[in-house]
Amino acid sequence: MATLILVRHGRSTANTAGLLAGWTPGVALDERGAEQAAALPGRLAGVPLAAVVSSPLQRCRETLAPLLAARPGLTEHTDDRIGECHYGDWSGRKLSELADEPLMKIVQQHPSAASFPGGESMRAMQARAVDAVREWDARIEEEHGGDAVFLMCSHGDIIKSLVADALGMHLDLFQRIHVDPCSVTAIRYTATRPFVFRLGDTGDFGSLIPRASAETPQDPEADGNAVVGGGAGAA
C-alpha cells in the first residue's frame, strides 16, 4: 500500500498569539513558520511524491508553496476533509480564556464526547479525516502503485486524530499525542493494519529542552493538558 506523509503546517500567527484559529480566514505563517516551510523541500529531498493534498486553509497552502516551487511537476490537490476542526464559537478566541470553559475538561479528558458550540464534534472531525486519508490512499495506490508516497498538509488536531486511528487508539487518548509545526508523520496503510514510521519528526530537539518556567507558552503540556489546535512548538 502507499505511504502517507503528514505535514503539519508551519508555525502561524495564531500559534504565536495563543489563539485557536480554526477556520478563521487570514491566518498566515509567521516568520518562523515561513522558515520552516522553506526548509521542507530539503527535508524531503530524495523522497518521490506521487501527489500532494492540502487543507484549503492559508497556513497549509503557504507551507507547501516552497515544496511545490521546488517540484514544478507536482500537482496540489485540496480536500476540505483534512481542514482544521470546526471549533465554532471558540474560533479566534484565546486559549488562555478557553481554559476556564467547562467544555475544555471534556476536550482534554473525554474528547469523543466533545462537541464545539456552533461547530463540530471531535468524533466527526476524526471520521472525515480518516475517510479522506483512506480514499486518497486507495486512489494513489491504484494510480501509482503500492510503493507510491503521497503527502498531506493538515493541522495539529487532525493529524493527532489520524495517528490515533492508525495506532488503534481510542479518540479519548489522542490528546497524549503531540505534533509540532511543520513536523513530519509517516503512516503506511496495509490490507490488515497501518504502520506508523515517523511521528512528529522535526529533526529538532529544541522542544525537549527544559524551560525556565512551566508557565511559558513553549511548555504547553506543563499543566498536564494538551494544546487544542496543536501549539506553537519550540522557539
Side-chain angles (χ1 to χ4, degrees), residues 28-94:
L29 298 183
D30 68 5
E31 184 176 353
R32 173 60 178 153
E35 292 172 355
Q36 292 169 332
L40 190 60
R43 292 171 60 199
L44 295 176
V47 179
L49 296 175
V52 167
V53 186
S54 178
S55 156
L57 296 174
Q58 179 179 342
R59 52 197 183 274
C60 287
R61 306 292 295 275
E62 289 181 351
T63 298
L64 290 177
L67 178 65
L68 294 169
R71 303 194 189 195
L74 198 57
T75 301
E76 179 189 21
H77 307 271
T78 59
D79 193 322
D80 287 0
R81 295 175 297 174
I82 62 168
E84 181 62 284
C85 184
H86 291 277
Y87 296 117
D89 296 344
W90 279 26
S91 299
R93 293 182 60 188
K94 283 189 172 293

Side-chain angles (χ1 to χ4, degrees), residues 6 15 26 64 68 77 93 99 105 120 130 137 153 164 196 200 233:
L6 287 163
N15 293 147
L64 290 177
L68 294 169
H77 307 271
R93 293 182 60 188
K105 185 175 182 179
E120 69 180 333
V130 170
D137 187 77
C153 186
V196 178

Side-chain angles (χ1 to χ4, degrees), residues 180-224:
D180 272 345
C182 224
S183 63
V184 171
T185 295
I187 303 172
R188 181 174 299 155
Y189 293 88
T190 75
T192 56
R193 57 188 168 185
F195 293 87
V196 178
F197 289 93
R198 294 286 188 279
L199 176 58
D201 188 346
T202 63
D204 178 3
F205 293 98
S207 62
L208 303 181
I209 299 172
R211 303 299 168 188
S213 168
E215 300 301 319
T216 65
Q218 299 301 333
D219 194 8
E221 284 83 25
D223 59 0

Side-chain angles (χ1 to χ4, degrees), residues 4-15 19-29 53-64 76 78-87 120 122 125-126 128-130 133 151-164 174-175 177-185 187 199-200 227-232:
L4 167 63
I5 295 177
L6 287 163
V7 176
R8 185 184 167 201
H9 62 79
R11 196 174 74 177
S12 73
T13 53
N15 293 147
L19 300 176
L20 186 62
W23 285 69
T24 304
V27 176
L29 298 183
V53 186
S54 178
S55 156
L57 296 174
Q58 179 179 342
R59 52 197 183 274
C60 287
R61 306 292 295 275
E62 289 181 351
T63 298
L64 290 177
E76 179 189 21
T78 59
D79 193 322
D80 287 0
R81 295 175 297 174
I82 62 168
E84 181 62 284
C85 184
H86 291 277
Y87 296 117
E120 69 180 333
M122 301 199 90
M125 173 200 76
Q126 183 187 46
R128 64 172 165 86
V130 170
V133 163
L151 183 148
M152 285 184 159
C153 186
S154 188
H155 307 266
D157 280 351
I158 296 290
I159 294 173
K160 287 164 56 179
S161 73
L162 289 169
V163 171
F174 99 124
Q175 297 290 26
I177 300 166
H178 183 81
V179 289
D180 272 345
C182 224
S183 63
V184 171
T185 295
I187 303 172
L199 176 58
V227 179
V228 181

Side-chain angles (χ1 to χ4, degrees), residues 93-115:
R93 293 182 60 188
K94 283 189 172 293
L95 288 163
S96 58
E97 297 173 358
L98 293 171
D100 295 327
E101 293 280 352
L103 177 60
M104 182 60 85
K105 185 175 182 179
I106 307 301
V107 170
Q108 291 292 333
Q109 300 181 18
H110 190 21
S112 65
S115 184

